[in-house]
Amino acid sequence: MPSLTRALALRPLLKLQSCVGARRCISNALYDSTLKNLKIDRNTRVIYQGFTGKAATVNALQSIQYGTNIVGGVTPGKSGIHLDLPLFPSVYEAARALKPTATAIFVGAPHATSAIEDAIKAEIPLIVAVAEHVPLHDMLRVHSILRTQSASRLVGANCPGIINPRAHCRIGFMPHPSFLPGSIGIVAKSGTLSYEAVASTTRVGLGQSLVVGMGGDTIAGTTLADAVEIFLEDEGTEGVAIIGEIGGAAEMDVAEVIQEYRLGGGKKPIMALVSGKCAVNGRVMGHAGALRGFHPTVEDKIKALEKAGVDMVEHPGMFGEGMMKLLGRAMPQEPVKGMGPGGPGQRRGLHTMTRRRTVFSGAQQLGQQKRSLYTEDPKVTLEILKQFAPEIPVSLKCPFTPTFGLGISINGTATRAPALLITPVESTSVTFLPFDYLGAPPAQTAFEKLGLSPDKKFDDFFLLVKEIYGLFMGLKAYTIFFCHISASGVHLHDSRSSVLRFDHTLPPLITVSSSQISEELEAAKHGIVYITLPGEGNIGTLVNGAGLAMNTCDMINARGGSPANFLDTGGKATGRTVVEGLKTVLADKRVKAVFVNIFGGLTDCAMIAEGILMAYKELEMNGKGVPLVIRLRGTNEEVGQKMILDSGLPVLAFDNLDGAVEKVIALARAAELDRDDSISC
């Protein structure tokens, strides 16, 4: 029986039965056996799903030019020839005729999971899904299916894909001209940071053996740990570079893998970067999974990686030189350029990077941006419970007896599943009890671990779990957690009583008041993720890519500066995006200097430079007295740098991140001193 058919046949009704209390152990043993499918090479036979779409067509042409063995594709309802390759109306027919070993899914988010399931049913060994904004619970269902089979491995969704430069095999949209056949394995949550890590290892001549994009979603088909296991056993991989960030626990999982490798005598140099120290509580920092929550902090992740023997870096441009030192090699006299055929890197298609939309029309949620609804506001929680879970008893009074915490959230680890969350009486630690998405929460196990007083009956506890589970499933939630529960029910007496987070891809549940500043809401209209950082930040930032934006703020903080904002222009930044972004940044009166940090993997540096020139004219920046420092690296960097230089504008251009950060900090400090002097006079 095909794997998908078998999984669906095993699917239980999504209702809590009396067996909910039984212990349930999630095993990934079958799915883990598919790790070998990541080893793509010249013999990998690739098809496209959504083959005749504009984005897939352009991407396929580039990949064919690069040397990837594209053998055909699928578009429902169509058959014939496309790009001189066979076109089929179904994955089943394409798989039977072409015998593909990999598929690139280039369809929009609403259809992504059905496309993935079609590929699983056809037992295609490697499935790469690049679309973002795929509904969270749809992906939970997919992973429940994947766990039951040993034929297919998923990379994504919401990722740039996978590439083997040694075999010129690319599945996804990584900008292949910057890659160099070599010996460094790279895995990253952030696409932009991975491209810069690639450029760094290319410039020193090390090149890459395999690069895997984990993606920025909470649930990933292939994690940091999965990719690192492949790198560690690959004889052609001399060193490993890992790029993580705030959110989830993938970095903790990979630290365990590395620690076991070191204990077994493994000697390969391993370096890592973790971004997001700047993250604001309750805000999604660009990537859907980049949110502070119940998971380890950036500091926790760095500590775990260092304990495992990993060398940490501050930014991805340090991987190349750092790896050369660890390997005991001398730096080349001249930087090495990428070996991929073709000219400039491609930009993302509409299927991969839709303009970020505002989830709520009109009012916005307290402390949330358009990517999701996150709230700790007891009033919002009370309203949601009244509408969607009236059976849950609620008290607005402070509890006079000991309380415990209970809820359900996505388990951001290798289990790729939801988990029942518990906090025992008089404890602040949260325990995750994972369960299969198509199964039911382990209520009995939770009850036993909580060690509740004898007067607390399991039947009552079971009913509460049932209601929370129903809320989680019915509202397609990310997190439902109540911090204080007593015999009287759920207590919502203060701002720390609950945590609710819902999927940003779904329609809003309720209309709630907003505390977002108008600039943040206005920026969202232009596809920009802008977050005002707390404190007395005086350096405005404009960056392409969420990972790089977090890393930029972290770098400024680490060097003694103070960023005023997080701003991600997105992978489809245009000159107009730059103008609107700078307009937003300059509206913050705290800003005394601006840093534009661009790495053009998918973003064209010439287009960014054009935006800078437009902004100086339209925003009359010369008269604002706010200095601007810009770093342009990557696609068309020479063209962009020349445009800035020839303009005669007072823009300080750098190609070195360290120098640029030091300069913008110095300029901001000087402006602050001038202000203080003028006040004292």
Side-chain angles (χ1 to χ4, degrees), residues 110-172:
H111 309 291
T113 50
S114 61
I116 294 170
E117 289 175 6
D118 286 344
I120 298 171
K121 187 175 182 179
E123 298 191 339
I124 298 176
L126 182 63
I127 304 165
V128 178
V130 299
E132 69 172 347
H133 303 307
V134 180
L136 178 65
H137 280 240
D138 288 356
M139 288 307 300
L140 284 170
R141 186 188 70 248
V142 164
H143 283 289
S144 185
I145 294 169
L146 286 169
R147 200 175 292 116
T148 69
Q149 55 83 55
S150 59
S152 300
R153 158 69 46 171
L154 174 66
V155 174
N158 188 19
C159 77
I162 182 172
I163 186 170
N164 178 347
R166 296 181 298 192
H168 282 227
C169 181
R170 179 187 79 154
I171 309 172

Side-chain angles (χ1 to χ4, degrees), residues 340-503:
Q346 79 292 352
R347 300 189 190 100
R348 279 196 192 190
L350 293 176
H351 66 289
T352 61
M353 187 79 169
T354 56
R355 284 291 186 192
R356 298 182 176 95
R357 61 183 177 83
T358 302
V359 173
F360 291 86
S361 59
Q364 289 279 329
Q365 161 56 30
L366 170 66
Q368 72 93 33
Q369 65 195 71
K370 57 198 169 302
R371 294 188 64 88
S372 69
L373 163 59
Y374 174 97
T375 182
E376 297 179 9
D377 186 342
K379 293 181 180 179
V380 175
T381 302
L382 180 62
E383 182 64 26
I384 288 175
L385 289 180
K386 283 182 177 180
Q387 289 191 35
F388 303 105
E391 298 300 319
I392 295 180
V394 177
S395 172
L396 301 181
K397 297 179 180 180
C398 181
F400 294 101
T401 58
T403 61
F404 62 91
L406 179 67
I408 295 177
S409 186
I410 306 304
N411 190 25
T413 66
T415 56
R416 306 175 180 91
L420 195 59
L421 274 58
I422 57 173
T423 302
V425 174
E426 298 182 355
S427 173
T428 57
S429 63
V430 178
T431 299
F432 283 70
L433 301 175
F435 61 93
D436 191 273
Y437 180 71
L438 301 181
Q444 184 68 51
T445 302
F447 186 75
E448 294 169 359
K449 286 184 174 294
L450 282 170
L452 300 176
S453 59
D455 61 330
K456 186 68 176 178
K457 297 179 180 179
F458 173 70
D459 289 348
D460 295 334
F461 181 79
F462 168 78
L463 290 175
L464 181 58
V465 171
K466 179 180 178 180
E467 290 296 329
I468 295 174
Y469 176 72
L471 195 63
F472 175 80
M473 295 296 294
L475 300 183
K476 307 297 183 185
Y478 184 108
T479 298
I480 304 284
F481 187 76
F482 304 108
C483 307
H484 303 289
I485 299 175
S486 72
S488 302
V490 171
H491 291 266
L492 300 176
H493 58 288
D494 61 29
S495 60
R496 298 181 180 179
S497 298
S498 62
V499 176
L500 301 182
R501 182 184 175 193
F502 299 96
D503 189 353

Side-chain angles (χ1 to χ4, degrees), residues 215-236:
D217 282 356
T218 303
I219 308 170
T222 294
T223 66
L224 301 178
D226 293 335
V228 168
E229 286 192 34
I230 293 295
F231 299 155
L232 296 179
E233 71 175 27
D234 178 35
E235 294 182 359

